Amino acid sequence: MASFNGREMEKKKALAPNKTLSEIMALKRKSIPYVRYGHYFTIYGLVKYIPPPVGDLLRYGVLKFYLKGISKKTWIKDGVTISYPENVSIGSNCTLNEFVFINGYGGVEIGNWVRIAHRTSIISEDHGYKRRDIPISLQKKKGKKIVIGDDVWIGCDVKILKGVKVGKGAVIGAGSVVTKDVPNFAVVVGNPAKIIKYR
Ligand SMILES: CC(C)(COP(=O)(O)OP(=O)(O)OC[C@H]1O[C@@H](n2cnc3c(N)ncnc32)[C@H](O)[C@@H]1OP(=O)(O)O)[C@@H](O)C(=O)NCCC(=O)NCCS
């Protein structure tokens, strides 16, 4: 899929902090990416909830076309959502289980042999919220890349926030909120996630 980084840059510049609410709304109206994401969400939506194993193969086929990268033997279960697909890459032999959510705004890079359990969210963006005179939804977003190393196991209902690097072989316990980098082979749990041991 074509890269839209140029247009994203324009949009970021447009949402500079000295603009008024009406100026920002006008610029937003111009830049809402209906077309560029509309066809992706429509086509992916057709296969999103088809049961495995056929559904997994169809989702892989659609994502192969839209993601920055996805390698062989990676299984995408039903209900998985990926936004900003052009910034997301997934290695080989991975499994993204049911209802995993990936926001690729700031970039998401997933290595090989990664297991991601159901309902986990990987969110590489935050809304700006400093100004009180305009709604949060209209303030400039902040994105920072998330990198997940090879052979990582991420439990169910985990949240991984922007800028985090998860080292190879790490384990993230169910329900954890990961706000800081995780060293190689560490086992982390809790909110915020802390190291309890190494494998
Ligand atoms: C992280 C995990 C792998 C650790 O398992 P383990 O090595 O057997 O560790 P233990 O069960 O001995 O737990 C060690 C300590 O961490 C705590 N702990 C374990 N998992 C925790 C979690 N997810 N959140 C908070 N605390 C947790 C335990 O209560 C224990 O605390 P204590 O020492 O005060 O008693 C496991 O608890 C877990 O969360 N697995 C994810 C399961 C899952 O989501 N599977 C999806 C299917 S793929």
Side-chain angles (χ1 to χ4, degrees):
M1 190 188 184
S3 165
F4 295 98
N5 288 345
R7 251 187 278 167
E8 277 299 321
M9 283 301 290
E10 258 177 49
K11 193 172 137 190
K12 281 181 185 162
K13 273 191 227 151
L15 296 178
N18 55 352
K19 295 263 190 285
T20 65
L21 175 58
S22 53
E23 284 169 333
I24 288 171
M25 291 205 50
L27 287 162
K28 269 267 190 182
R29 267 196 299 278
K30 271 195 212 161
S31 65
I32 285 174
Y34 290 118
V35 177
R36 71 173 135 139
Y37 294 125
H39 60 84
Y40 160 62
F41 279 119
T42 303
I43 294 168
Y44 183 70
L46 295 172
V47 298
K48 186 171 176 177
Y49 298 103
I50 296 178
V54 173
D56 292 4
L57 297 172
L58 293 172
R59 283 181 285 278
Y60 178 90
V62 173
L63 290 174
K64 186 98 190 147
F65 184 71
Y66 286 100
L67 292 188
K68 187 173 177 187
I70 182 168
S71 299
K72 61 185 180 174
K73 296 189 188 159
T74 280
W75 297 90
I76 307 291
K77 299 292 171 189
D78 34 322
V80 168
T81 300
I82 301 177
S83 62
Y84 303 96
E86 72 278 13
N87 298 333
V88 176
S89 64
I90 307 174
S92 62
N93 295 283
C94 297
T95 304
L96 275 61
N97 277 337
E98 294 82 357
F99 297 98
V100 164
F101 182 95
I102 296 178
N103 173 313
Y105 182 85
V108 173
E109 192 182 305
I110 297 173
N112 304 313
W113 298 99
V114 173
R115 286 277 164 288
I116 308 181
H118 53 282
R119 288 195 308 266
T120 280
S121 298
I122 298 172
I123 312 284
S124 66
E125 78 165 79
D126 275 342
H127 286 289
Y129 58 84
K130 286 214 169 109
R131 287 179 68 178
R132 295 180 177 185
D133 58 327
I134 55 172
I136 289 172
S137 64
L138 295 179
Q139 296 191 40
K140 189 176 162 186
K141 289 180 179 183
K142 295 177 207 155
K144 207 166 174 202
K145 190 172 183 180
I146 294 173
V147 179
I148 296 171
D150 293 341
D151 192 26
V152 167
W153 173 31
I154 302 173
C156 59
D157 290 301
V158 168
K159 274 88 185 154
I160 300 179
L161 303 185
K162 74 173 191 313
V164 164
K165 290 185 175 50
V166 180
K168 71 174 175 189
V171 173
I172 302 178
S176 302
V177 178
V178 187
T179 57
K180 302 241 162 59
D181 291 356
V182 177
N184 294 347
F185 305 110
V187 179
V188 300
V189 299
N191 177 8
K194 304 268 188 226
I195 300 170
I196 53 165
K197 57 184 163 185
Y198 286 84
R199 289 172 59 202

